Amino acid sequence: MSEKQSEIKSIYCIGRNYAKHAEELGNDVPSEPLLFGKPQSAAAMADGSVLTFPSNKGEIHYELEIVLRIGKDVEAGDSLKDVIGDMALGIDLTLRDVQSALKKKGHPWLRAKGFRNSAILTEFFSFPGEEETQSIPFSLKKNEIEVQRGLAKHMLFTFSDIFNECQREFGLKEGDLLFTGTPEGVGAIAEGDTFALYFAEEKKGSFQVKLI
């Protein structure tokens, strides 16, 4: 585990932040950021290792995302560019069958979103800046076949929107992470699958799936 990985604090995530992803799941496109969280214990590294996941809770879906790391405690008047120094690629994993059952009951999603190894991260690297990142592609390969590709400019809510919303609602501290949403192409993981994460066509991390 890297030094920055060990410094992770709160993990904030945004759902349905790409219209095509909301549509592929049959969900309404939100009019304001749809926020949820994951515990620190959900974090795992995409460092080439084998990661374990439950085999008895239905389908587990992968969702590739850009992840921003808060570099200092946020103070009044700070903007995104004042506090974001680095970023990673991440995968927000979802127990989809569990989530569907919880949604029908009107219950929180934590059981479906916060399980162990459900927030997978590459090593952190330099954030080019909000404007510069808009047109840099990020992608995910499953068993060497590309399954997701996105551009930040297609997000419904920008990095700054997400940052401002989380700061206003919760307050942000050094080490907090912002998972910024996934493009279309999500799907289920299976035993033995290998995943590789790319930013600007450069491989940033990988992992293999083991179901237990």
Side-chain angles (χ1 to χ4, degrees), residues 12-19 21-22 24 30 33-36 38 62-68 88-92 113 138-139 148-159 162 177-184 186:
Y12 298 106
C13 308
I14 181 168
R16 307 178 195 173
N17 199 26
Y18 289 75
H21 169 58
E24 76 178 343
L34 176 60
L35 300 173
F36 61 93
K38 292 176 180 272
Y62 55 81
E63 301 182 7
L64 174 70
E65 314 206 4
I66 290 175
V67 182
L68 305 179
L89 292 179
I91 294 184
D92 163 21
K113 287 287 192 178
F138 61 105
S139 60
Q148 284 191 277
R149 173 173 287 265
L151 293 170
K153 67 181 180 181
H154 294 149
M155 294 192 303
L156 298 172
F157 303 100
T158 67
F159 295 148
I162 299 166
L177 301 183
L178 304 179
F179 275 67
T180 60
T182 191
E184 72 273 15
V186 304

Side-chain angles (χ1 to χ4, degrees), residues 56-72:
N56 61 347
K57 295 187 177 181
E59 286 196 349
I60 304 174
H61 281 195
Y62 55 81
E63 301 182 7
L64 174 70
E65 314 206 4
I66 290 175
V67 182
L68 305 179
R69 180 180 178 274
I70 304 299
K72 74 177 189 71

